[in-house]
């Protein structure tokens, strides 16, 4: 894979407050450049949700109401998040979720395309018993020594997802081949279905 052929791409991860639909409590956006995660230009934001964090969500990611009370509301950081994301491609694990939550919070945001590392993993490593982020980290064993924070925080999960994306991309020759297997139908960037030939 020639990583220099990639368009602008950011790996994103979001954490929510546990409600349905969720309010955001953390967003991370990590550019991938030259086949590496570029932490020097990454963005990470904590935000106070409109509704309190549920006890279950707090246990998962460790972001409590007390910790978030001093953080800015979403309306104070939305423009910054939108500016960093721009019109780049984004990648996420189980990307439907992150795309849905981000578009709900950024109605005018439209990425060039969306890569799903869950979908990509199922094509790249068929037959694995599980395709969770933890299962793929155990299978691929990417270098996470420079990952910030800890598992279930947006910054860590974005870094881990970026390393998995880079490792899986090595199994494909071109960007177009990667897109063909990694973009879920219905999300931006999905290849157009080929029209069936007819005799008429």
């Amino acid at each position: 894979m020639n990583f220099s052929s990639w368009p602008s791409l950011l790996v994103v991860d979001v954490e929510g407050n546990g409600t349905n639909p969720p309010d955001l409590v953390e967003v991370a956006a990590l550019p991938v450049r030259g086949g590496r995660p570029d932490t020097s230009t990454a963005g990470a934001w904590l935000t106070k949700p409109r509704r309190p964090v549920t006890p279950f969500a707090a246990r998962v990611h460790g972001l409590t109401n007390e910790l978030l009370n001093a953080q800015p509301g979403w309306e104070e950081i939305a423009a910054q998040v939108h500016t960093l994301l721009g019109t780049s491609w984004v990648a996420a694990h189980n990307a439907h979720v992150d795309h849905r939550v981000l578009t709900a919070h950024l109605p005018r945001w439209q990425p060039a395309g969306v890569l799903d590392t869950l979908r990509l993993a199922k094509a790249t490593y068929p037959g694995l018993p599980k395709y969770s982020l933890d299962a793929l980290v155990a299978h691929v064993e990417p270098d996470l020594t420079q990952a910030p924070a800890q598992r279930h925080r947006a910054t860590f999960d974005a870094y881990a997802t970026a390393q998995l994306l880079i490792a899986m991309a090595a199994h494909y020759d071109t960007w177009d081949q990667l897109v063909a297997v990694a973009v879920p139908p219905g999300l931006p960037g999905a290849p157009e279905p080929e029209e069936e030939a007819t005799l008429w």
Side-chain angles (χ1 to χ4, degrees):
M1 170 66 73
N2 177 11
F3 288 100
S4 65
S5 67
W6 284 28
S8 175
L9 180 140
L10 299 100
V11 178
V12 297
D13 190 76
V14 301
E15 301 296 334
N17 66 334
T19 62
N20 188 18
D23 293 338
L24 285 171
V25 296
E26 187 176 29
V27 179
L30 175 63
V32 172
R33 293 192 174 95
R36 296 172 176 264
D38 182 6
T39 55
S40 68
T41 58
W45 299 266
L46 291 173
T47 179
K48 179 182 176 180
R50 291 181 294 111
R51 295 165 291 177
V53 178
T54 65
F56 175 78
R59 284 196 299 273
V60 171
H61 50 52
L63 296 170
T64 63
N65 291 302
E66 291 74 20
L67 188 151
L68 294 167
N69 273 337
Q71 300 300 324
W74 176 251
E75 65 281 355
E76 297 176 67
I77 64 168
Q80 297 173 41
V81 179
H82 196 168
T83 297
L84 181 60
L85 294 177
T87 56
S88 298
W89 279 75
V90 297
H93 197 67
N94 200 10
H96 280 288
V97 174
D98 299 79
H99 180 260
R100 182 173 65 245
V101 174
L102 283 169
T103 52
H105 284 75
L106 297 170
R108 295 194 303 275
W109 172 63
Q110 178 69 20
V114 180
L115 299 179
D116 182 8
T117 52
L118 174 59
R119 183 180 177 87
L120 178 61
K122 290 179 177 180
T124 309
Y125 308 120
L128 293 185
K130 292 183 179 179
Y131 290 92
S132 66
L133 196 62
D134 289 327
L136 290 170
V137 165
H139 180 74
V140 178
E141 298 183 338
D143 181 4
L144 301 181
T145 55
Q146 301 301 311
Q150 69 277 344
R151 177 73 173 96
H152 295 300
R153 288 291 302 274
T155 49
F156 182 100
D157 289 1
Y159 189 94
T161 301
Q163 293 288 54
L164 290 171
L165 172 63
I166 292 161
M168 291 188 287
H171 293 257
Y172 300 87
D173 292 330
T174 67
W175 168 258
D176 287 343
Q177 288 177 2
L178 187 71
V179 165
V181 295
V183 180
L187 288 188
E192 292 291 328
E194 293 184 11
E195 294 185 9
E196 291 186 16
T198 68
L199 298 176
W200 308 104

